[in-house]
Amino acid sequence: MYCMPLDRRSLRIIAFRGLTLTFTLIVVVILTAIIVGATGYDEVILRAVINEQVRAYREELSRPGSPVPPEERERMVREYRDTLVRVYGLDKPWYIRSLSNVPRLVTLDLYVTQEEVAGVLGLRRPLKVGDAIAVALPRTIIMITLAYVISAFISVPIGPYIAYKRGSVFDKSVIVYAAITNAFPVWWIAMLSIFIFGFYLGLAPTSYRPIIAQISKLSDAIYSLNITNIILTFKDILYYSYLPILVVTFSLLGAWLYSARAVAIRVVSEDYVAAARAKGLSESTIVRKYILRVIAGPILTFVILGLAGSIGGYIITETVFDWPGMGLLYYVAISTGDSPTILALVYVTTLVYIVARFILEVLYVILDPRVKL
Amino acid sequence: MSKMPVKESFISYIARSIKEGLREVLTYNMGRVGLAILVFMVVMSIYSIIVLPGDFPAMWRYVTEPPWIYNPRSALPSWVEYLGFDVSETRTYTAIRPQESRVIINPDDLFRYAPEVERALGARRVALIGYLEVYRVEYNLDSRSYPQDIIVLFNVKASENVNLTNIRVIALLYVTRPDDVILKIGELSVSLNMLNYMKATHEYFSLPYISYYNLNLTLEEMKTYFNIAIFGKPITSREFESLRGTYQITLVLLYIGIDPREISRLIADRSLSVSVDIKVLGTSYGLLGTDIYGRDLFMGLLFGFPVALTIGFLVSLAIVAIGLTLGVISGYFGGRIDEIIQRAIDIIANIPLLPILILVGVAIQTQGWTGWPALSIIMIILVAFSWGGVAIISRSMALSIKSEPYIEAAKALGASTTRIIFRHIIPQIIPYAMAALVFGVPSAIIAEAGLSVLGIDHGLPTWGRLLADAQANRGVAYNMWWWVLPPGLLLGLFSFAFVALGFTLETIVEPRLRRR
């Protein structure tokens, strides 16, 4: 891939993009604080936090051998609760409270309140939301990255080929395929594939819950360096995960092929390709040296920008497949009403998205020096 | 697209553009397909508004209430029979006439006119007198699958001078099987004002049935599989096979409590009328089957049509209107206001929509809002974060049009800013805006569907909501293709129609895209 050294102008562009994105993140956090505060939603969260702490305090006081006499306990618990109410600002209006709560959100200093939420990740409470996300996020990224790599390996070499055969049956079927994957939501294709491959053909599992246990088994095996166990559990995980990865690849591939085709069509009609052909270079050399090299960059940015916008589709797909990543975490948190987890997920998803955008902007500037502000 | 003549109002120009655009759309294959689907959607929406009751969303929500409890559960569409699926049909015998209706003074007459009472398995002879009605219907079973239930619905109407609480009804339900075994499957003894519905139960035939066929089954098993016992014949002491042939279902109603001749008179002069529906719940139902609660999926899908079109168009229209306005302002006036709008676009373009929508959806849920208000808030958020793209296009067009010589000329002739914007700039952007409008229609309903599947419940039975219900019951629902397939197909068809129309419009307004 061609790469230009970063000059001052490029750095300025990158710095500017970074500034915009940081500002965007701040806006999202403020927006979140407003939505959460104005709807009285944070009160629910804070009451849960306070109840949790009061419960722990009461337990500590009533432990056998506690020096506090029983008649004193109730009063102390009450006082403790009042202190907490003041500390968390439940006695103040929401706009003041929301502001003071922003740091807690930003540092993910919140606790999962529902056992079920920790359960889907194969963990137990007490659990910090930050730790839960640290477990879930890589799993999501692994699934999507795998699908990405497969799509890239298929579509980048095929793109120029489709461009050559423009108007052929193959070309048309690629367009139809792209139209279908564009029209139908990925998560619906996932539901359908569970019916077809799971229930009807019996080639894939019909329930994906066991994957949660398998993944924790794998991490245990890796931790204890038991090679046989690693291979065995890896095989099981593959059994549960090949359909999700296939489905995501299936729907990604439509967009990849379509954009590879669009970019390649532009490139194959360029003069330098005609010149290369006139020089008598073989078609495979032309494709490899004159076309693939040029189209790789644009396709990458094109599709990743599209992904950044549609990451939500994969959150929902995960829910359908019970893949224990961010999506399932969202689903269980919403269905059990675990507000701190939902809040933290919104914040982290935004953060990931914005960081991804930033990396892309940088890549974009590096790959194509003509990018202007 | 034609140029705007000098003496034509803005509105009539838009109307004419739409008319001409439509004519041109029809010259493209893609356009024809898209338009045909759109017309289909509109027709279905109108049909839906006419057919479905006003409180349908509430009706859909209460899964343990009529009419759903009178439907078979998890039933396939009835047309699958013609594809070779082995299903038993659901039949409703509406407002049937009694075969016998007479005053019984001598107890023996009861057994003469309703012999099932005496001949049923394990029947005891009881002496009863009163006013007798006997209803009989026939059901033909030609399937390996067992019908799920038999239900009788009563509709009692009486003029005001009839005191219904004084009249009691003994309702007895029998099945005469093809093998001539008669089973008593229901009994009810209530005053007439309480007469509502009855369903088949195992209680009255279990013990004689077990001993008659010499079965090795517990009463608990009989209770669970009463429908198999009714519609099947034992092949071993524990296994069954469906018994094909014609079943006769007999409902015996005996009115007691007051003089039977008095009841006969009341019924004859229509001061009292009891209408009876008998339903045999098979394993297939209606056009699109039912879900695990017995809800008619066709009705649910039907409700989705007007919702999809309404929220799709409203959201897209709002996005285009805001984007166009801000884009033109930004491009035409420039300066500080341009800078503000551009930075705002930068920000909203970088905010991931789904997390925000999830947050808002959950907040709405915590507040307990449901139905249209909840959906409207989701739509507003969708609009607030989606106008950036249209604004960018409008701005760049406004910028290039602004520097055209004829704008200079118009200014020199003293044209006001409003006139320049509405006469010269917006009319040129409108065709592009139309394409953007059409492209944007599916986004709202797709976003709504995604939110629903993630567990945010706004309480309206949209296509997404149907899929969300399937998701919530994924262990069984993903095996029910008639539950998962149609809503998704409609979602896809809906997006496809607008993408096809959008492509066509784009080709029309941007001649460079035309092939050859």
Side-chain angles (χ1 to χ4, degrees):
Chain A
M1 224 171 262
Y2 58 94
C3 188
M4 299 282 273
L6 284 176
D7 55 19
R8 183 169 293 175
R9 205 179 124 265
S10 307
L11 282 176
R12 218 189 61 220
I13 294 172
I14 291 171
F16 182 76
R17 298 273 201 241
L19 216 63
T20 310
L21 288 167
T22 314
F23 191 61
T24 307
L25 188 65
I26 294 170
V27 169
V28 170
V29 170
I30 292 173
L31 210 67
T32 310
I34 291 176
I35 293 173
V36 165
T39 54
Y41 187 47
D42 69 331
E43 221 179 299
V44 181
I45 299 169
L46 290 176
R47 291 226 181 275
V49 174
I50 291 176
N51 284 341
E52 187 84 351
Q53 293 190 13
V54 167
R55 193 175 56 87
Y57 183 69
R58 191 195 301 271
E59 255 169 40
E60 199 186 304
L61 282 186
S62 41
R63 251 202 337 252
S66 153
V68 187
E71 60 273 13
E72 280 285 281
R73 279 177 205 157
E74 270 317 300
R75 193 185 53 82
M76 287 180 70
V77 166
R78 209 166 40 242
E79 272 175 11
Y80 185 63
R81 182 186 290 276
D82 291 343
T83 322
L84 285 180
V85 164
R86 263 197 311 282
V87 167
Y88 286 113
L90 270 179
D91 53 345
K92 298 188 196 75
W94 68 265
Y95 38 88
I96 295 172
R97 192 171 55 226
S98 288
L99 274 182
S100 57
N101 270 328
V102 165
R104 289 172 62 84
L105 174 62
V106 172
T107 54
L108 292 181
D109 183 23
L110 299 165
Y111 282 88
V112 171
T113 60
Q114 303 292 327
E115 199 57 66
E116 216 178 312
V117 176
V120 292
L121 297 174
L123 303 170
R124 323 200 101 258
R125 281 203 314 143
L127 177 66
K128 271 208 169 180
V129 174
D131 298 336
I133 292 173
V135 171
L137 190 59
R139 293 178 186 169
T140 296
I141 292 176
I142 283 174
M143 177 163 140
I144 296 175
T145 314
L146 249 173
Y148 250 88
V149 171
I150 299 172
S151 305
F153 270 104
I154 296 175
S155 58
V156 173
I158 287 185
Y161 178 75
I162 311 170
Y164 272 130
K165 306 257 167 152
R166 202 178 167 193
S168 68
V169 179
F170 184 59
D171 180 37
K172 278 181 185 147
S173 33
V174 164
I175 295 175
V176 170
Y177 173 58
I180 289 174
T181 52
N182 175 58
F184 294 100
V186 202
W187 46 265
W188 180 72
I189 297 176
M191 288 178 172
L192 208 60
S193 71
I194 295 179
F195 166 68
I196 295 173
F197 294 100
F199 284 100
Y200 192 70
L201 297 174
L203 293 172
T206 54
S207 164
Y208 287 79
R209 268 290 145 102
I211 200 173
I212 298 165
Q214 294 294 345
I215 286 181
S216 20
K217 236 201 246 169
L218 181 70
S219 53
D220 286 351
I222 291 175
Y223 192 68
S224 60
L225 277 176
N226 186 335
I227 303 293
T228 11
N229 270 359
I230 291 177
I231 293 169
L232 281 178
T233 41
F234 188 75
K235 223 181 79 191
D236 285 338
I237 288 179
L238 205 63
Y239 171 68
Y240 284 108
S241 58
Y242 83 89
L243 194 61
I245 290 170
L246 268 185
V247 166
V248 176
T249 311
F250 173 82
S251 93
L252 268 178
L253 200 56
W256 271 91
L257 281 175
Y258 192 79
S259 44
R261 172 188 175 275
V263 175
I265 281 176
R266 230 177 34 229
V267 175
V268 290
S269 51
E270 291 277 353
D271 290 342
Y272 63 82
V273 176
R277 200 168 285 141
K279 272 197 283 186
L281 294 177
S282 74
E283 280 300 318
S284 66
T285 316
I286 295 176
V287 168
R288 210 175 57 240
K289 288 203 167 159
Y290 290 80
I291 300 176
L292 276 188
R293 253 191 207 188
V294 180
I295 68 173
I299 295 175
L300 183 80
T301 27
F302 209 57
V303 176
I304 293 187
L305 277 178
L307 171 84
S310 66
I311 211 154
Y314 305 103
I315 290 180
I316 305 165
T317 310
E318 266 185 28
T319 311
V320 171
F321 277 120
D322 273 340
W323 182 264
M326 298 284 277
L328 196 60
L329 207 57
Y330 258 119
Y331 178 70
V332 180
I334 291 171
S335 52
T336 56
D338 189 339
S339 359
T341 312
I342 300 170
L343 258 185
L345 279 172
V346 168
Y347 168 67
V348 170
T349 321
T350 313
L351 187 67
V352 167
Y353 177 89
I354 284 175
V355 169
R357 286 293 288 239
F358 182 68
I359 294 171
L360 272 171
E361 303 277 11
V362 173
L363 272 181
Y364 207 54
V365 173
I366 295 173
L367 287 176
D368 190 347
R370 287 166 300 179
V371 170
K372 291 188 300 255
L373 255 182
Chain B
M1 286 273 141
S2 56
K3 261 238 162 322
M4 186 178 175
V6 183
K7 285 191 177 171
E8 189 178 11
S9 80
F10 186 60
I11 301 293
S12 88
Y13 168 74
I14 289 178
R16 197 166 52 84
S17 310
I18 291 176
K19 206 171 134 195
E20 281 174 13
L22 211 60
R23 193 174 301 147
E24 219 168 328
V25 163
L26 281 172
T27 62
Y28 290 84
N29 273 334
M30 281 280 251
R32 266 181 245 149
V33 172
L35 215 56
I37 300 173
L38 182 61
V39 168
F40 164 73
M41 298 271 167
V42 171
V43 170
M44 290 305 276
S45 302
I46 295 169
Y47 178 66
S48 155
I49 292 165
I50 295 170
V51 172
L52 295 180
D55 61 344
F56 184 73
M59 189 169 133
W60 189 260
R61 257 183 117 62
Y62 297 119
V63 290
T64 54
E65 301 273 322
W68 315 123
I69 49 170
Y70 305 140
N71 283 351
R73 291 168 173 207
S74 309
L76 278 90
S78 51
W79 46 263
V80 297
E81 203 186 327
Y82 305 108
L83 300 180
F85 282 79
D86 187 37
V87 287
S88 50
E89 64 170 333
T90 295
R91 278 198 71 175
T92 308
Y93 307 86
T94 313
I96 43 175
R97 306 292 319 144
Q99 266 189 354
E100 302 284 349
S101 47
R102 60 182 67 243
V103 173
I104 304 274
I105 305 291
N106 176 0
D108 281 343
D109 281 352
L110 175 66
F111 307 118
R112 188 188 308 157
Y113 296 111
E116 291 89 349
V117 178
E118 188 182 24
R119 289 184 47 221
L121 271 191
R124 275 168 300 149
R125 227 184 141 99
V126 282
L128 283 170
I129 57 166
Y131 179 76
L132 174 78
E133 280 184 340
V134 181
Y135 298 84
R136 287 197 176 89
V137 294
E138 283 186 349
Y139 177 80
N140 193 37
L141 177 64
D142 186 23
S143 159
R144 267 184 293 117
S145 67
Y146 307 93
Q148 298 177 1
D149 207 343
I150 298 171
I151 284 177
V152 183
L153 302 173
F154 301 98
N155 186 7
V156 181
K157 284 204 186 90
S159 56
E160 278 171 25
N161 54 355
V162 181
N163 187 352
L164 291 178
T165 48
N166 281 349
I167 308 173
R168 280 191 84 77
V169 171
I170 297 178
L172 305 164
L173 192 60
Y174 297 92
V175 170
T176 310
R177 291 158 35 114
D179 60 0
D180 260 345
V181 172
I182 299 174
L183 302 177
K184 179 178 175 185
I185 57 171
E187 181 177 320
L188 203 64
S189 174
V190 291
S191 57
L192 206 47
N193 61 327
M194 301 292 284
L195 189 63
N196 188 5
Y197 89 104
M198 69 190 293
K199 67 187 283 304
T201 149
H202 76 111
E203 289 166 54
Y204 306 102
F205 68 82
S206 272
L207 288 173
Y209 191 92
I210 290 173
S211 60
Y212 181 82
Y213 285 108
N214 209 0
L215 298 175
N216 179 22
L217 287 173
T218 63
L219 278 182
E220 200 52 44
E221 285 167 320
M222 285 297 283
K223 186 181 175 185
T224 315
Y225 302 110
F226 72 95
N227 64 324
I228 296 181
I230 294 172
F231 290 102
K233 67 167 182 285
I235 45 172
T236 69
S237 68
R238 290 188 60 81
E239 282 163 295
F240 285 77
E241 165 182 287
S242 82
L243 179 63
R244 290 163 199 248
T246 305
Y247 291 75
Q248 191 176 62
I249 296 154
T250 310
L251 173 72
V252 177
L253 289 186
L254 202 62
Y255 298 79
I256 53 175
I258 63 170
D259 186 346
R261 278 164 300 200
E262 172 67 12
I263 295 170
S264 167
R265 195 189 54 74
L266 287 175
I267 289 177
D269 68 13
R270 294 175 184 276
S271 327
L272 172 68
S273 84
V274 178
S275 153
V276 173
D277 295 349
I278 295 182
K279 281 185 110 170
V280 181
L281 309 183
T283 50
S284 68
Y285 179 89
L287 252 179
L288 286 172
T290 61
D291 63 10
I292 53 165
Y293 307 110
R295 293 185 292 190
D296 186 345
L297 287 167
F298 177 71
M299 289 173 89
L301 285 173
L302 204 55
F303 187 85
F305 281 96
V307 179
L309 279 178
T310 318
I311 72 169
F313 267 107
L314 282 182
V315 166
S316 196
L317 200 65
I319 289 172
V320 170
I322 294 174
L324 185 75
T325 314
L326 291 181
V328 169
I329 289 174
S330 179
Y332 188 80
F333 294 104
R336 187 172 291 262
I337 192 160
D338 180 33
E339 191 60 29
I340 292 172
I341 292 174
Q342 287 311 300
R343 293 293 81 78
I345 293 172
D346 270 349
I347 290 168
I348 64 162
N350 282 311
I351 292 178
L353 193 50
L354 191 81
I356 299 289
L357 282 176
I358 289 173
L359 192 68
V360 171
V362 172
I364 288 170
Q365 235 175 358
T366 331
Q367 296 291 305
W369 293 342
T370 52
W372 285 106
L375 206 53
S376 316
I377 294 172
I378 294 175
M379 284 158 63
I380 289 169
I381 300 294
L382 208 58
V383 172
F385 289 95
S386 311
W387 53 268
V390 180
I392 290 172
I393 297 170
S394 310
R395 175 178 178 267
S396 67
M397 286 189 76
L399 268 179
S400 72
I401 296 167
K402 192 174 81 169
S403 52
E404 295 279 340
Y406 61 83
I407 301 287
E408 293 296 323
K411 272 188 194 159
L413 285 172
S416 68
T417 309
T418 348
R419 187 180 166 86
I420 290 172
I421 288 179
F422 281 96
R423 278 275 154 180
H424 300 289
I425 296 181
I426 290 186
Q428 293 193 57
I429 306 179
I430 287 276
Y432 292 88
M434 290 288 282
L437 174 79
V438 168
F439 270 125
V441 170
S443 68
I445 197 70
I446 297 280
E448 179 274 323
L451 284 184
S452 296
V453 171
L454 271 178
I456 288 162
D457 187 0
H458 49 67
L460 293 175
T462 55
W463 298 331
R465 193 66 230 150
L466 296 194
L467 289 172
D469 288 339
Q471 158 68 16
N473 301 291
R474 53 190 173 285
V476 281
Y478 287 172
N479 195 17
M480 293 160 66
W481 52 265
W482 61 96
W483 190 352
V484 172
L485 201 61
L489 277 181
L490 283 179
L491 276 176
L493 201 67
F494 190 75
S495 343
F496 176 75
F498 287 96
V499 169
L501 278 177
F503 271 134
T504 315
L505 280 180
E506 219 174 41
T507 320
I508 293 169
V509 300
E510 185 70 271
R512 275 170 294 175
L513 290 174
R514 275 181 215 180
R515 265 171 277 166
R516 275 172 285 274

